[in-house]
Amino acid sequence: MINISEVLETNKMILEENLDVRTITMGISLLDCADASLKKTCDNVYAKLMRLAKKLVKTGDEIGREFGVPIVNKRISITPAAIVGSACCRKPADFVKIAKTLDRAAKKLGVNFIGGYSAVVSKGMTPADEMLIRSIPEAMATTERLCSSVNVGSTKTGIDMDAVRLMGEIIKETAERTKDRDSLGCAKLVVLCNAPDDNPFMAGAFHGVTEGDAVINVGVSGPGVVNYVLKNTCRGADFETLCETIKKTAFKITRVGQLVAQEASKRLGVPFGIIDLSLAPTPAVGDSVADILKEIGLEHPGAPGTTAALALLNDQVKKGGVMASSYVGGLSGAFIPVSEDQGMIDAVNAGALTIEKLEAMTCVCSVGLDMIAIPGATSAASISGIIADEAAIGMVNQKTTAVRVIPVAGKKVGETVEFGGLLGHAPIMKVSKFSCEKLISRKGRIPAPIHSFKN
């Protein structure tokens, strides 16, 4: 039973502490849109998106107004496009036509992003997978709302190092193709290991083949709420009190998302899928995972103890969230994107936080090296090495990891790049000068770890 004090508490979270529902994402299967004709496939895709998602933005806005909860983004995720286009695409340019169709639909529907221009190549690449991957630079350069992802490994299959090597080259090419916009195309492109089928957050969202025809997934946020509560109730408290406070706060945040998800599902006539309870920061002051880490006791993220503090935070967020909803999924934890978190930016500028320390932190939190700007001169092999390291962390630890790095054309360490909006701004971070070229040039796969054999 909800009482008036809980209503007032939630209103305070929204008005003063940056609580929001970050996204309502409608997952849509496009498997039934595939055809031997490219034109027919594109027509089928456009028609199905328009039919199922025509009320998505309107419904999200209505729920936001009626419930008084800001719903920041309305998004769509689709079946990985490499699968949808496998019967009709004969060259990378054919996939670009599908990309433009998806972007056109996203604009018409008014959604912020559409994700799923994707390939899942954990163990190997089909011709269609490779064609889609090679089309990514052109697709990112010629669309506005399309997001792309490639899954290069999993705990069950190991890491496809041929795909890792190719993705280093693709990220470099995407940066060059969008250099007039500070290589913005790379901000809409992520490389993953153990990608989930139901993630509502971009750029890694796609609608997995294990999903139904359509589903509503909701991503909640709220690092500002957690930070506010810790600041006002937990300074000097012991670890038990600290953990209980984070857990209870995560419970309240997730309940808001559960309410929105159920209402959106009912109004749109689409089944409810999952709540992703990730703490997703924004560039707004006070809406920062880094600030939570500082409130726990660090001078800056990157100080000794950072990984322990982040592990504590991530675990309590998950424990609180799973008590609030029976259907928690997606990524669910704490995000540490540099450009989208002012506290992380401050830590980089102070010299406290490096890519190597961020990599260590990704062992215990959601996603991985996210929204990190690096020098435009960084080699494709070095980018592939960064991807391989993160994929290895995900593979061995049975968790999702990802790399979204932006080699900003013409920029060097010490400079800053401005992306705007939720993508924020970022300092250019230093990448190791030492080569991994011989490692990346090897062909084949890194095999799955021994503990992957569960049968």
Side-chain angles (χ1 to χ4, degrees), residues 71 274 389:
I71 300 174
I274 58 96
D389 283 343

Side-chain angles (χ1 to χ4, degrees), residues 20 22 26 48 56 101 111 131 157 283 316 332 343 364 376 430:
D20 60 51
R22 186 56 49 84
M26 180 181 284
K48 187 167 187 181
L56 176 61
T101 300
V111 297
M131 282 189 287
T157 63
Q316 299 310 310
S332 291
V364 298
K430 181 181 178 181

